[in-house]
Amino acid sequence: MYTLFLDTHNQEVVVVLYKDGEVKQAVNKVSGYQHSQIALPLIKDVMDKEGIFPKALDQIIVVIGPGSFTGVRIAVTIAKTMAYSLNIPIKTIDSLHLKAISIDSKEDFYVSVLEKNGAYVGKFSSEYVPVGEYSYYSKKEYDSFLEENEVKDVDKIDYNSLYEMVKTFEPINPHAVKPLYIKRIEVTK
Amino acid sequence: MIKELVIDDFQDFLKLGKMVNNNFGNLYDLDNLLNSKADKVIGYYENGLLVGFIHISISFDVVDIVNIVVDDKYRRKGIGTKLLNYIILSKDIAEIWLEVRKSNKSAISFYEKNGFSLVRVRSNYYGDEDALIMKRDVNMKDVYILAIESSCDETSIAIIKNGHECVQLTVLTQMDTHSEYGGVVPEIASRMHTENITMVLEETLTKAKMKVEDMDAIAVTYSPGLLGSLLVGVEFAKTLSFVYNKPLIAVNHIAGHIYANNLEGNLQFPLLALVVSGGHTDLIIMKDDYVFEKVGGTLDDAIGECYDKVARVLGLKYPGGPNVEKEALNGKYTYDLPIPMNDDSLNISYSGLKSSIINLVHNEKQRGNEIRKEDLAKSFQEVAIDQLVRKSEIAIKKYKVKNMIVAGGVSANKMLREKIKELTDKYDINLSIPSMLFCTDNAAMIGAAAYPLYLRKEFANLDLNASSNQEIY
């Protein structure tokens, strides 16, 4: 029972391969703006090392953002296409939730995902349930937000906790999988 | 009975040959023929009488048909086809080639029925007449290519058979969404591609009653276009190539517009391609498949860009091209506009024309004069298209082209189609313009352009990247 996890929401391409819930391979590659050139070769590498073909996959987990718009679309497009063509379940997690699950906290806490001109911020309960809506702050807004609030940071994503958390999620129809953008684009404002 | 001729049979061979050509004996050096290991003559006998033969020359797995003759009295009995099939079945061959006089319609139709297709035209091969070079691939199964196009605001997927037949085409246009903003918004286009692309695949496969497993290759537009939009198609295609273990073919969008003409006919070389779109206004000479030489084109704006600008100045809605054309239908050529690039070069320019229209509208407004939109649209269109026709004519004369094609989004313009038709009629050259369906952005043309690359096994890897501006020439 193999699960493939993909994340391209920031400067890194992350590929994790689980077998029966256990992390077998976890690789990340800093790519700058070359996600497209790196992502699929990295997925193939990981599967080659494990000696499996795509048909061996049973489940896909993908990070849907928020983060770099173009970056997120790379993993989302690969993941939904794989899930659709292999006819396997796909589950999604957002990048703020992904960070939150690696944090131990007795009370509600904030995490953020930084981008070029600002930051996405989300509040979570100690049980990792989102509290209220996620926000996007410009650099300036985020600086003043930091003066009032503490934002927890994560050194390393705990991929085992991630797997356990995602177990409780419902699979999504691959056609319906799409990025979470949060930030509105200029023309639609 | 069919058998290979031996030395004793050659009197009969000469006798039959002379029935079709008095000079037949003189054309053949019998000694040479008998001693050649490459040459073979296969005869067809009826009641012990030689009534037809095929003379072939073999080099490894390639067969050249030198001559094929059937007695007049025994025609239309399928003897020619039987001789061909005898060769195909008795030898381990990959290709059969031949040349035939362009005027020999019955022979050409015979070869076409037997699976030969035109490769190119050889000028003045028979002294005063052109030869058609035709080829048949033997034992080659049908090739199906799944093609993907997402370079702008259309999510499109097609299934193309043997590079020429569109088995299925789905085009999901986002035009209504973008028209709210007066033009394509790249970020919105990329978002919509991501959301829709697997559904477009499902619809295409369902309608065609086929599976990705049935395909021989996956082709995708990798350039030029909107980077974010191209990336969605490229990642999608690479994923399919990876999951199904199918070769991946990277196709240039402009090559796609040119090869769209293979969906309803055959490219004939040398050809002149006039590529006209929102990003291109180019004159390209092709001497063979995938040999592109840019011989002329715009020094500044593309014609499509100019149409969009004029549409905005006239207060017409997006997309500019069709709306300016519609407006011009009721107009007269009354405004005096400068004639761009009125010289013998193949250079084209649209920025001067654009500026003069902006200035004209501005000045008329300042003077409090009403702009006659339909007349200005008509005047602009006359001048804009006349420039393309003039430059195409110079290229036709200079490069002695056999075939002219008009490609790109602006080839949908009716006035351009009519004027170019007049031009090609004048020079008696073949004009191909794809039907409307294959003119605007679509994946069928990408599949057609992928086919020559498939035959040459020019495949891309999983590290294929999209590029906004990779030219083919």
Side-chain angles (χ1 to χ4, degrees), chain A residues 5-36:
Chain A
F5 167 86
L6 300 176
D7 179 9
T8 56
H9 82 277
N10 60 16
Q11 296 92 330
E12 279 184 338
V13 175
V14 181
V15 179
V16 179
L17 185 65
Y18 298 90
K19 187 181 183 185
D20 303 325
E22 197 184 307
V23 175
K24 297 292 281 184
Q25 314 259 354
V27 293
N28 59 333
K29 208 163 172 178
V30 176
S31 92
Y33 292 102
Q34 302 305 316
H35 282 3
S36 169

Side-chain angles (χ1 to χ4, degrees), chain A residues 34 36-37 40-41 44 54 69-70 73-74 77-78 80-82 84-86 175 178 181 185 187-188, chain B residues 181 185 187-188 190-191 194-195 198-199 202 231-232 235-236 238-239 242-244 462-465:
Chain A
Q34 302 305 316
S36 169
Q37 278 172 285
L40 266 162
K44 185 174 187 302
F69 289 173
T70 303
R73 277 194 287 269
I74 302 276
T77 305
I78 294 172
K80 71 189 282 183
T81 307
M82 272 192 166
Y84 170 73
S85 49
L86 293 167
H175 291 320
K178 57 180 184 181
Y181 296 107
I185 57 175
V187 292
T188 60
Chain B
Y181 305 108
V185 182
E187 177 59 25
I188 293 177
S190 309
R191 290 182 178 194
T194 312
E195 284 172 31
T198 54
M199 282 185 279
E202 182 164 281
L231 275 172
V232 176
E235 288 313 304
F236 174 76
K238 289 200 290 189
T239 306
F242 175 54
V243 168
Y244 293 96
L462 291 182
D463 64 358
L464 174 68
N465 203 356

Side-chain angles (χ1 to χ4, degrees), chain A residues 70-133:
Chain A
T70 303
V72 166
R73 277 194 287 269
I74 302 276
V76 167
T77 305
I78 294 172
K80 71 189 282 183
T81 307
M82 272 192 166
Y84 170 73
S85 49
L86 293 167
N87 196 19
I88 55 174
I90 180 167
K91 293 179 175 180
T92 65
I93 185 165
D94 68 71
S95 55
L96 292 163
H97 206 166
L98 177 73
K99 271 194 157 177
I101 56 167
S102 301
I103 287 165
D104 267 328
S105 176
K106 298 236 164 12
E107 48 204 49
D108 289 2
F109 62 97
Y110 288 104
V111 291
S112 70
V113 166
L114 303 180
E115 63 110 61
K116 235 178 15 219
N117 305 310
Y120 300 96
V121 176
K123 191 178 187 182
F124 290 86
S125 75
S126 55
E127 300 294 307
Y128 310 118
V129 178
V131 179
E133 302 270 305

Side-chain angles (χ1 to χ4, degrees), chain B residues 392-441:
Chain B
S392 298
E393 182 163 11
I394 296 170
I396 285 172
K397 285 197 271 194
K398 190 169 173 189
Y399 294 97
K400 300 185 174 63
V401 300
K402 288 260 151 56
N403 185 191
M404 175 164 180
I405 67 179
V406 184
V410 182
S411 64
N413 184 294
K414 287 196 187 66
M415 183 180 163
L416 176 64
R417 286 172 174 240
E418 284 160 16
K419 296 276 177 175
I420 295 286
K421 180 84 178 77
E422 283 169 22
L423 176 69
T424 51
D425 282 351
K426 179 176 161 192
Y427 288 91
D428 194 23
I429 61 178
N430 190 9
L431 170 68
S432 21
I433 304 180
S435 54
M436 289 296 187
L437 179 64
F438 299 133
C439 259
T440 46
D441 290 354

Side-chain angles (χ1 to χ4, degrees), chain B residues 87-249:
Chain B
I87 296 169
I88 290 163
L89 293 173
S90 63
K91 309 250 181 312
D92 201 9
I93 55 174
E95 297 170 352
I96 307 178
W97 291 78
L98 60 86
E99 66 256 333
V100 57
R101 276 179 190 270
K102 198 179 173 183
S103 62
N104 194 348
K105 301 282 181 215
S106 65
I108 292 168
S109 132
F110 165 77
Y111 290 127
E112 277 173 348
K113 271 184 206 139
N114 279 284
F116 285 81
S117 53
L118 177 68
V119 176
R120 63 180 167 274
V121 180
R122 197 171 278 164
S123 302
N124 299 325
Y125 181 74
Y126 296 104
D128 55 344
E129 199 183 337
D130 295 349
L132 305 189
I133 309 294
M134 302 183 82
K135 184 180 92 158
R136 169 172 169 182
D137 291 312
V138 180
N139 296 327
M140 224 181 69
K141 65 172 201 71
D142 290 329
V143 174
Y144 289 93
I145 294 178
L146 183 77
I148 297 130
E149 152 70 33
S150 70
S151 66
C152 192
D153 60 344
E154 263 100 21
T155 317
S156 178
I157 298 184
I159 297 168
I160 300 299
K161 183 178 169 185
N162 298 332
H164 286 273
E165 189 188 324
C166 179
V167 175
Q168 197 66 53
L169 170 64
T170 312
V171 182
L172 181 67
T173 179
Q174 310 169 356
M175 199 187 285
D176 288 347
T177 306
H178 295 292
S179 68
E180 284 176 40
Y181 305 108
V184 176
V185 182
E187 177 59 25
I188 293 177
S190 309
R191 290 182 178 194
M192 293 181 80
H193 287 308
T194 312
E195 284 172 31
N196 297 326
I197 199 154
T198 54
M199 282 185 279
V200 174
L201 174 66
E202 182 164 281
E203 185 177 330
T204 309
L205 293 172
T206 308
K207 277 194 197 151
K209 296 192 175 69
M210 293 184 87
K211 298 186 200 130
V212 182
E213 283 93 335
D214 301 328
M215 303 298 139
D216 295 282
I218 314 288
V220 65
T221 310
Y222 76 99
S223 187
L226 302 171
L227 190 59
S229 292
L230 288 163
L231 275 172
V232 176
V234 166
E235 288 313 304
F236 174 76
K238 289 200 290 189
T239 306
L240 290 179
S241 159
F242 175 54
V243 168
Y244 293 96
N245 195 26
K246 301 284 181 190
L248 177 70
I249 302 172

